[in-house]
Amino acid sequence: MTYCVGLMLDAGIVLLSDTRTNAGLDNIATYRKMFLFETPGERAIGIMTAGSLSITQTTMALLNDAIEEPENDKSILRAPTMLQVAEIVGNTLSDVTAEVSAKMERMSQSASASMIVAGQRKGGPMRMFLIYPEGNFIEATSDTPFLQIGEHKYGKPILDRVIDPSTTLEDAEKAVLLSMDSTLRSNLSVGMPLDFAIIEADSFRIGRRRRIEADDEGFARMSHAWSDALRSAFQQIDPS
Amino acid sequence: MTYCVGLMLDAGIVLLSDTRTNAGLDNIATYRKMFLFETPGERAIGIMTAGSLSITQTTMALLNDAIEEPENDKSILRAPTMLQVAEIVGNTLSDVTAEVSAKMERMSQSASASMIVAGQRKGGPMRMFLIYPEGNFIEATSDTPFLQIGEHKYGKPILDRVIDPSTTLEDAEKAVLLSMDSTLRSNLSVGMPLDFAIIEADSFRIGRRRRIEADDEGFARMSHAWSDALRSAFQQIDPS
């Protein structure tokens, strides 16, 4: 399982992912699920992945190959718009999924993956997309300024309550970390370390980026403070 | 969809269910999912249901028939222990599921249901069981003093944080209502009105019971207060 969340705010794009992968409960490993790309001053793109590792790794490898081939018109660092970046990622994901699925079906199994693609290129607005396993996608808007993939339910109530497009980047960082904290507590297949990144609006570069290890003192302190604050808020509520 | 939650605390059993059923998004109705049985002073039992209405209604009808037939040894009001009550419910659910499933399979469809059964009879302890569609069951313990069926994820973080066996009945009522509130916000197929009941320890009767309608002022006030308290708690947390 996985939990990745992306916010698209007036102040910038905020991305957070876990790193746990598992093939059964007895085969757990750590793999990066957040991939950052930039041509500083021209564009910055973040991609987060959830689902079958065989599909996400192959998709990311093909996207990287395309970037390195000067003649390849499927490079997400050369595509003229973020919409075309989403289309390239969606088409690549769809092709890889179809290929892997054909093998899986012979064993009566299936595999799929989904992705969040977010970024901005010079001359265009920030955009954030959720790419479905089939390759089609939806986009974050001011009504729904966040997108989630993987185990999204435990961490959604906090986002529903505190995130809107005007949220500051500092509050946004707290919100996604607390959203992840609720998910980590409830689903063992989502695990530390975490990858965090910010792309500030009109910066066209990856800004703050941070790996949060299992022993991160700041994260532990925030997690405990939030538990205490929730319990204290609970005590202050009058019964209905 | 459905959300039902039961707490088994030192002070008593607390039950809360929603009432929304749907066959597709365009066919929504209100059906009671909480069923209360008592022989005052001797035993009190609450059953909550989630899943296919055709299965839960037939199962509850058979359980009621057995209560009314004096010779029937499948009566949950005459079974000598709560464990046997759980077995009767589990066996009835399993039989009904098997019968309905045989019909559904001819149409390549499936149906299932799960239940929470909780109560106490004179001479025995309070017990609470989660009955799986197959008829087998697990039991709440002091390590895990709550059980949920249906859409359980949105409402679990608050329970994880505030519920332990020593929680008072007043706090427990707040906690299950706030747990339901988070679920109502996030899943449209869980809906008001709500059914709430308490079986106090060693009372052997259904105590406080309450239907909370969509326009209930107390519930709305608590829901708003909790949103405000969460936002305020969020603002007080230092970033990590």
Side-chain angles (χ1 to χ4, degrees), chain B residues 2-3 5 7 43 63 69 71 89 144 155 157 159 173 192-193 206 210 212 218:
Chain B
T2 287
Y3 179 45
V5 53
L7 313 183
R43 79 177 64 195
L63 293 173
E69 293 163 9
E71 302 302 309
V89 176
T144 304
L159 301 177
E173 180 168 354
M192 308 273 283
I206 306 298
R210 177 180 170 204
I212 302 163

Side-chain angles (χ1 to χ4, degrees), chain B residues 5-23:
Chain B
V5 53
L7 313 183
M8 196 177 67
L9 309 172
D10 298 341
I13 289 165
V14 177
L15 306 173
L16 180 69
S17 69
D18 82 317
T19 54
R20 183 160 294 175
T21 66
N22 63 299

Side-chain angles (χ1 to χ4, degrees), chain A residues 55-67 92:
Chain A
I55 290 180
T56 60
Q57 283 190 333
T58 305
T59 303
M60 294 312 302
L62 290 172
L63 292 174
N64 275 309
D65 280 359
I67 288 172
T92 308

Side-chain angles (χ1 to χ4, degrees), chain A residues 13-67:
Chain A
I13 288 164
V14 176
L15 305 173
L16 180 69
S17 69
D18 83 316
T19 55
R20 184 160 293 174
T21 66
N22 63 299
L25 274 171
D26 55 351
N27 187 355
I28 287 177
T30 299
Y31 280 94
R32 176 172 281 274
K33 302 174 190 175
M34 182 190 292
F35 303 91
L36 301 169
F37 303 85
E38 65 180 342
T39 305
E42 196 277 323
R43 79 178 64 197
I45 298 170
I47 299 180
M48 297 188 290
T49 65
S52 167
L53 191 61
S54 69
I55 290 180
T56 60
Q57 283 190 333
T58 305
T59 303
M60 294 312 302
L62 290 172
L63 292 174
N64 275 309
D65 280 359
I67 288 172

Side-chain angles (χ1 to χ4, degrees), chain A residues 151 153 174 231 234 237, chain B residues 151 153 174 234 237:
Chain A
E151 176 58 275
K153 292 187 178 182
K174 274 203 294 183
R231 285 197 198 92
F234 177 78
I237 299 289
Chain B
E151 175 58 277
K153 292 187 178 183
K174 275 202 294 183
F234 177 78
I237 300 288

Side-chain angles (χ1 to χ4, degrees), chain A residues 151-154 156-158 160-162 170-171 173-175 177-178 181-182 185-186 208 210 218-219 222 225-227 229-231 233-240, chain B residues 151-154 156-158 160-162 170-171 173-175 177-178 181-182 185-186 208 210 218-219 222 225-227 229-231 233-240:
Chain A
E151 176 58 275
H152 62 283
K153 292 187 178 182
Y154 296 113
K156 186 163 179 284
I158 173 79
D160 279 334
R161 284 196 166 91
V162 306
E170 189 180 44
D171 276 357
E173 180 168 352
K174 274 203 294 183
L177 289 172
L178 294 175
D181 183 53
S182 293
R185 274 170 187 265
S186 294
R208 182 160 152 66
R210 177 181 170 201
F219 184 71
M222 200 176 76
W226 180 237
S227 275
L230 279 185
R231 285 197 198 92
F234 177 78
Q235 290 305 332
Q236 285 159 28
I237 299 289
D238 290 325
S240 70
Chain B
E151 175 58 277
H152 62 282
K153 292 187 178 183
Y154 296 115
K156 186 162 180 286
I158 173 79
D160 279 334
R161 284 194 166 93
V162 305
E170 189 180 44
D171 275 358
E173 180 168 354
K174 275 202 294 183
L177 289 173
L178 294 175
D181 183 54
S182 292
R185 275 171 186 263
S186 294
R208 184 159 151 65
R210 177 180 170 204
F219 184 71
M222 200 178 76
W226 181 237
S227 274
L230 279 185
R231 285 197 200 93
F234 177 78
Q235 290 305 332
Q236 286 160 28
I237 300 288
D238 290 326
S240 71

Side-chain angles (χ1 to χ4, degrees), chain A residues 181-221:
Chain A
D181 183 53
S182 293
T183 312
L184 292 168
R185 274 170 187 265
S186 294
N187 189 327
L188 276 185
S189 69
V190 177
M192 307 274 281
L194 311 176
D195 286 312
F196 174 85
I198 289 179
I199 302 172
E200 286 189 45
D202 301 327
S203 71
F204 313 111
R205 68 185 70 240
I206 306 296
R208 182 160 152 66
R209 74 172 86 181
R210 177 181 170 201
R211 170 157 281 206
I212 301 163
E213 299 288 346
D215 60 357
D216 187 279
E217 284 181 18
F219 184 71
R221 196 168 50 239

